[in-house]
Amino acid sequence: MSKRREFLQTLAAGSAAMTGLACGGGGAVTASSGPGGGPPPPPPTPAPTSPILVIITAEGGMDLLDALVPIGGANAGAYQNLRPTLKVNPAATTDLGSNIGLNNAFAGMAALHQQGRVAWLPGIGMPNPTLSHFLAADLWWQGSAVPGGTGWMGRYADLAFARSGDPLRGISTDGLPLGLQGVDRNFVNISSPDTYRFPSTRSEWGSVEDPVPLRAGFTDGFALSGTPGSSGLKAAMESGQLYDQAQSLFSNLIGTSRRTPSVPYPGDATYPDATLRDGYRHLSYQLKFIAEMVAKDLPSQVFVATTGGFDTHSNHARDFPLLLKEMGASLSAFYADLASISTAKGNAQDRVLIIGWSEFGRRVRENNGGLDHGTAGLGYAIGKGVKGGLYSNFPDLTSLDSNGNMKFTTDFRNLYATVLDKWLGVSSRTVLGGSYPNLGFL
């Protein structure tokens, strides 16, 4: 299996929240009590004055139906019929109500759900869906009523970030996808606390070149002297200046000593689940790094992390549970770690909202041990400011499209609009170029 990353941490289940969405249709329902009629969960905290957004993308097409499993009603019958060997046993799920079960392999997420801190978005997708990974990802990242050459977060950066002197406002820990590119401002890509510094190259013998002349030459080369003669030169100069400013500020703030997390993350020798102590834990590493940047008070408002491996055309029964386990463990450890971080603008757990999605879901019918590309997928939002529950209709598995795929129930831009309007405090209409209803979880 390619590109696997994430991890697990079991949070103590507190008092519970529960919401259900009728499997196969119906409006979102938010329950007022926990499992078994217990007390309701704590209410969400108010939106902070200095919010932080963490975006997680699951590359490859994450399967909705084996994450949130149909466990009753007509959808359960269709699911079991179309996945005779891959179906998840309802006994291996946590009942979310209304015939939906959360796969217990999604480690740590049941506890977060019970605390009322997860908003689930089953069936999220787009009109006229594409089954191409690259085109679908581009459409998700553009997030516009009229797709163009910028991304929704890039347009947010154009609106909210300063043109200069604000270099670390948006950080990606794994490349710079289209969604992070604006007209005037882009994010910066910082994949490691130890590599985002001068010098950037080594000799073939491993020796490090003297960083002083390298840095001086780089700075002089991108210094604006007058007005450049072309837009291309101007853009190159501004990009060089942004990198130069970001590198200098990052090096000063991150320092040379590494933060020790308050909880074990997957991949750590002390992680309580032995199956998640070894191996490649890319998402776990990224979230641990983001927690460190938050703890060191970097002036960053948006972080983007990426996980992958969800293109399960084969060996789905073997790979998907581990992918879920690593992802849920990574998310829940990160959320728990944030509670221990005090920043100049408040407790980190109060300030952070996590949202995630994949470019599409998988086909309902299994195919020789795997699942082909599908349509409607799973989105989510996690945070103390979230009012937990299900905020979209579960697709009707008895009414598929002509290709045997689910019909999406919630436009992905509704998620963006909710975050822009209610968390980041900007006009979603301005950023998205159209009006998309808020989903109500903030």
Side-chain angles (χ1 to χ4, degrees):
M1 185 178 69
S2 66
K3 230 179 160 191
R4 218 184 243 170
R5 40 257 230 192
E6 293 100 327
F7 60 84
L8 178 177
Q9 131 119 12
T10 303
L11 297 172
S15 51
M18 214 61 199
T19 62
L21 199 302
C23 210
V29 178
T30 304
S32 60
S33 63
T45 56
T49 56
S50 298
I52 296 172
L53 177 65
V54 176
I55 299 172
I56 312 290
T57 60
E59 295 180 340
M62 178 179 171
D63 182 40
L64 161 65
L65 299 181
D66 284 359
L68 296 191
V69 181
I71 59 174
N75 265 0
Y79 167 75
Q80 292 165 11
N81 179 57
L82 293 170
R83 296 193 178 180
T85 67
L86 297 183
K87 62 181 181 290
V88 176
N89 190 327
T93 70
T94 297
D95 191 351
L96 301 186
S98 298
N99 296 324
I100 301 172
L102 172 64
N103 192 333
N104 290 339
F106 210 166
M109 298 304 287
L112 287 176
H113 171 83
Q114 290 167 343
Q115 295 172 28
R117 301 286 69 91
V118 186
W120 300 102
L121 303 173
I124 195 168
M126 64 183 68
N128 305 311
T130 173
L131 301 183
S132 161
H133 290 295
F134 308 104
L135 180 55
D138 276 353
L139 291 172
W140 269 88
W141 274 123
Q142 288 183 77
S144 174
V146 181
T150 61
W152 77 288
M153 271 286 107
R155 294 191 297 277
Y156 170 72
D158 285 339
L159 189 67
F161 297 5
R163 287 287 297 274
S164 63
D166 192 18
L168 297 177
R169 188 80 169 271
I171 295 175
S172 172
T173 55
D174 189 6
L176 286 174
L178 174 61
L180 311 183
Q181 300 171 28
V183 174
D184 297 315
R185 274 298 308 265
N186 291 345
F187 281 45
V188 294
N189 177 39
I190 307 179
S191 59
S192 165
D194 300 314
T195 59
Y196 197 69
R197 60 187 73 233
F198 278 93
S200 58
T201 59
R202 295 173 181 268
S203 73
E204 60 183 304
W205 300 282
S207 61
V208 177
E209 302 294 341
D210 184 356
V212 175
L214 279 176
R215 184 178 186 91
F218 183 91
T219 303
D220 289 345
F222 284 102
L224 282 173
S225 54
T227 302
S230 72
S231 60
L233 284 174
K234 183 173 184 292
M237 285 182 175
E238 289 180 345
S239 295
Q241 286 183 320
L242 177 65
Y243 168 76
D244 188 37
Q245 294 167 5
Q247 187 279 328
S248 178
L249 182 58
F250 177 82
S251 295
N252 290 336
L253 293 176
I254 202 72
T256 57
S257 62
R258 298 280 64 85
R259 171 182 181 262
T260 300
S262 62
V263 299
Y265 281 70
D268 291 348
T270 58
Y271 196 77
D273 186 333
T275 66
L276 292 174
R277 290 178 188 155
D278 300 316
Y280 188 48
R281 303 288 177 250
H282 189 57
L283 181 60
S284 175
Y285 176 84
Q286 291 175 84
L287 292 178
K288 189 186 299 186
F289 178 31
I290 290 172
E292 178 173 4
M293 289 189 279
V294 172
K296 293 190 175 179
D297 262 333
L298 267 68
S300 308
Q301 185 176 32
V302 183
F303 297 95
V304 179
T306 304
T307 183
F310 286 94
D311 198 17
T312 52
H313 287 280
S314 60
N315 297 316
H316 178 87
R318 180 196 69 190
D319 294 342
F320 187 71
L322 182 55
L323 287 163
L324 272 187
K325 188 177 188 181
E326 292 176 336
M327 174 180 273
S330 300
L331 290 169
S332 53
F334 176 62
Y335 181 80
D337 196 15
L338 291 173
S340 70
I341 298 174
S342 297
T343 75
K345 296 179 179 178
N347 180 265
Q349 201 177 68
D350 292 331
R351 296 180 59 197
V352 171
L353 172 69
I354 306 161
I355 63 171
W357 67 80
S358 189
E359 68 266 31
F360 45 62
R362 313 302 296 183
R363 190 157 299 185
V364 182
R365 184 185 294 275
E366 66 179 67
N367 180 21
N368 296 322
L371 298 166
D372 292 332
H373 295 179
T375 49
L378 174 63
Y380 57 84
I382 303 169
K384 283 185 74 175
V386 168
K387 184 179 182 181
L390 284 94
Y391 286 88
S392 58
N393 289 336
F394 204 96
D396 186 350
L397 304 188
T398 68
S399 178
L400 303 176
D401 68 16
S402 58
N403 292 317
N405 281 319
M406 293 176 282
K407 300 170 185 175
F408 84 104
T409 61
T410 297
D411 193 301
F412 69 102
R413 289 161 294 193
N414 292 355
L415 170 60
Y416 296 172
T418 305
V419 171
L420 290 165
D421 290 330
K422 300 299 184 180
W423 191 255
L424 296 177
V426 299
S427 167
S428 63
R429 189 178 187 87
T430 300
V431 174
L432 303 179
S435 180
Y436 299 94
N438 285 187
L439 294 172
F441 59 81
L442 291 174

